[in-house]
Amino acid sequence: SFFLDSSPNYLSSPFCFERMKMLIPNAKLIICVRNPVYRAFSQYNHYKQIMPLSEKWDWEHDKDFLTNIRIAIEDAKISLKRNSDYLAPETHFSGFLLRGIYIKQINYLLKYFDRSQIFITITDRWPENYQEEVKKVLVFLGLKPEFLPARISNKREYTVEPFQQEAKEILTEFYQPYNEELFEFLGDRIVEWI
């Protein structure tokens, strides 16, 4: 029998990894990653749409995205300096920037789970190769590959200012070394991000 659970928050909350390991030591974990540059902008859009709930979270709600990422980069430099291998659990990889540093979160997860228990899928590939990507997930889970129809849910419209080229360039530069580490770990350059 199967028990499935999903959350966009597990990977970014390393404090839960030890408990996950205790409860389901043989779990198979699927990590969905997307281009961190666009993920950051999507999070900003999400924050804007759920005001005032997000008002006191890790952003300056009265400032634009470009200003927010400049502030976040300075904060991230401090957090990332604490330990070059991984961030402390209390960091929770939250916020515009840290959540997109996938390799550090994966490295922390590997302290509790074997690499063979983890499958990483690149969501940027799903629109073009949906059935192929689903097949890879099913094979990883030990299930018979079969046709599963696509169903889009929880997709938000963008209601914020346009994504400025300067913001894209700043984020691309910030994520570049972490993306390179991830590419090396995966043995896949993820051309969709380059």
Side-chain angles (χ1 to χ4, degrees):
S1 72
F2 262 84
F3 173 75
L4 300 173
D5 189 25
S6 68
S7 170
N9 297 320
Y10 290 147
L11 187 64
S12 64
S13 305
F15 67 89
C16 73
F17 298 165
E18 184 174 9
R19 185 159 182 235
M20 288 167 54
K21 180 68 173 179
M22 283 183 354
L23 292 173
I24 314 171
N26 297 320
K28 290 192 173 190
L29 307 169
I30 300 168
I31 299 172
C32 300
V33 295
R34 69 182 284 201
N35 186 321
V37 171
Y38 293 93
R39 191 221 56 78
F41 188 64
S42 178
Q43 186 169 344
Y44 171 74
N45 180 64
H46 176 78
Y47 278 11
K48 282 280 200 182
Q49 291 179 358
I50 61 171
M51 287 284 289
L53 176 64
S54 67
E55 196 171 281
K56 296 194 182 341
W57 293 355
D58 60 324
W59 71 306
E60 301 288 331
H61 71 277
D62 58 339
K63 296 189 172 36
D64 66 5
F65 183 62
L66 186 58
T67 304
N68 267 284
I69 61 171
R70 286 184 172 139
I71 293 167
I73 284 175
E74 292 309 310
D75 291 345
K77 285 178 184 173
I78 294 166
S79 295
L80 292 165
K81 238 180 221 185
R82 288 187 197 136
N83 188 319
S84 61
D85 293 332
Y86 58 88
L87 299 180
E90 63 270 13
T91 306
H92 305 299
F93 297 98
S94 63
F96 293 111
L97 295 182
L98 298 182
R99 201 167 204 161
I101 302 176
Y102 305 120
I103 190 62
K104 291 200 177 286
Q105 297 166 73
I106 292 165
N107 284 340
Y108 202 90
L109 184 65
L110 287 168
K111 293 168 81 60
Y112 298 94
F113 291 92
D114 188 76
R115 175 65 178 101
S116 65
Q117 293 177 261
I118 301 168
F119 181 79
I120 301 166
T121 183
I122 317 305
T123 60
D124 307 75
R125 294 178 177 162
W126 285 66
E128 295 296 320
N129 300 304
Y130 175 74
Q131 288 304 325
E132 185 60 33
E133 296 301 319
V134 167
K135 180 181 174 183
K136 291 176 189 174
V137 170
L138 292 174
V139 167
F140 168 73
L141 294 174
L143 299 173
K144 182 179 132 200
E146 62 181 272
F147 176 82
L148 296 174
R151 186 176 65 108
I152 297 173
S153 61
N154 299 322
K155 183 171 180 159
R156 292 179 179 272
E157 296 298 320
Y158 282 85
T159 57
V160 293
E161 72 270 11
F163 196 176
Q164 300 171 343
Q165 185 61 32
E166 184 179 0
K168 287 179 191 175
E169 290 168 4
I170 290 170
L171 287 170
T172 298
E173 181 180 342
F174 176 80
Y175 285 120
Q176 195 269 334
Y178 306 110
N179 287 347
E180 288 296 330
E181 282 184 59
L182 180 64
F183 300 162
E184 186 175 334
F185 174 80
L186 295 174
D188 180 349
R189 290 215 36 90
I190 313 181
V191 295
E192 294 85 355
W193 297 5
I194 300 172

